[in-house]
Amino acid sequence: MLMNLTTLDWDNTTLETLKIPAELLPRISSNSEIIGDIAKGWPISGVPIAGCLGDQHAAMVGQACRKEEAKSTYGTGAFILLNTGDEKIRSAHGLLSTIAFKLGKDAPTNYAFEGSIAIAGAAVQWLRDGLGIISSAAEIEELAKKVVNPQAASIFSQRLMACLLHGGVMMLAVYASG
């Protein structure tokens, strides 16, 4: 969140506020241009590095998400990104505006809305391995169908998020017990 989505460069105001010297940060490049070579000492040293994408953005490219198309991935967390094309749109519903991809120095920038659940699969794993409430991940759907108070599910979700933000597993024990 240090990059200005309009200028595609480091945001000087944010850097100044956080006291981060811009010269410590790498050069921002597109997702598809030569950014360096593999260092000496590796089996393929000297080979150019010509692409760089984070996992959610790589999934958008891999699933060929064009404007108004979305992709959703589930793992430790759950993420959905909607390609908004070359328009950077501010969400009225709390979604994050981000860059989807820029496939070349002179290529157009594709923006996206991003929604995330930080601990989707991790919550299922905790119910199985940590609490023993379920014996397999497949059981979670039937368990979810039995929820009679949707607010209880919301409280569970909020507690897990608080655990994520405040130190992980030790906090889970506190929230689970009370």
Side-chain angles (χ1 to χ4, degrees):
M1 297 226 170
L2 299 177
M3 186 178 80
N4 181 308
L5 296 181
T6 303
T7 65
L8 305 181
D9 204 351
W10 300 117
D11 186 83
N12 288 326
T13 303
T14 304
L15 296 180
E16 288 169 11
T17 300
L18 297 174
K19 297 182 169 76
I20 299 172
E23 56 273 6
L24 293 180
L25 299 173
R27 176 181 65 86
I28 294 176
S29 62
S30 76
N31 304 118
S32 182
E33 64 181 273
I34 295 175
I35 57 175
D37 296 326
I38 295 177
K40 290 180 181 177
W42 292 94
I44 55 173
S45 63
V47 172
I49 300 170
C52 182
L53 279 166
D55 56 353
Q56 302 311 316
H57 309 279
M60 287 197 85
V61 172
Q63 294 177 16
C65 289
R66 294 179 179 16
K67 184 175 181 177
E68 298 180 359
E69 294 180 338
K71 70 92 199 157
S72 182
T73 54
Y74 303 92
T76 301
F79 303 88
I80 186 165
L81 275 78
L82 170 70
N83 188 329
T84 61
D86 60 3
E87 276 187 272
K88 180 185 65 166
I89 304 170
R90 183 175 291 264
S91 172
H93 303 287
L95 297 174
L96 179 70
S97 293
T98 187
I99 292 180
F101 49 82
K102 181 176 173 67
L103 301 177
K105 188 175 185 173
D106 298 320
T109 302
N110 278 254
Y111 293 92
F113 280 145
E114 180 174 7
S116 61
I117 301 170
I119 45 174
V124 174
Q125 183 178 5
W126 177 63
L127 291 172
R128 184 192 66 210
D129 302 343
L131 296 180
I133 292 175
I134 57 174
S135 58
S136 74
E139 295 174 40
I140 198 69
E141 183 178 2
E142 286 304 314
L143 189 61
K145 287 178 181 178
K146 293 178 182 176
V147 172
V148 292
N149 180 355
Q151 290 180 336
S154 175
I155 291 167
F156 173 75
S157 175
Q158 291 169 6
R159 293 294 189 235
L160 283 175
M161 189 59 182
C163 293
L164 177 70
L165 295 173
H166 294 98
V169 178
M170 292 304 290
M171 294 298 291
L172 286 175
V174 173
Y175 287 122
S177 65

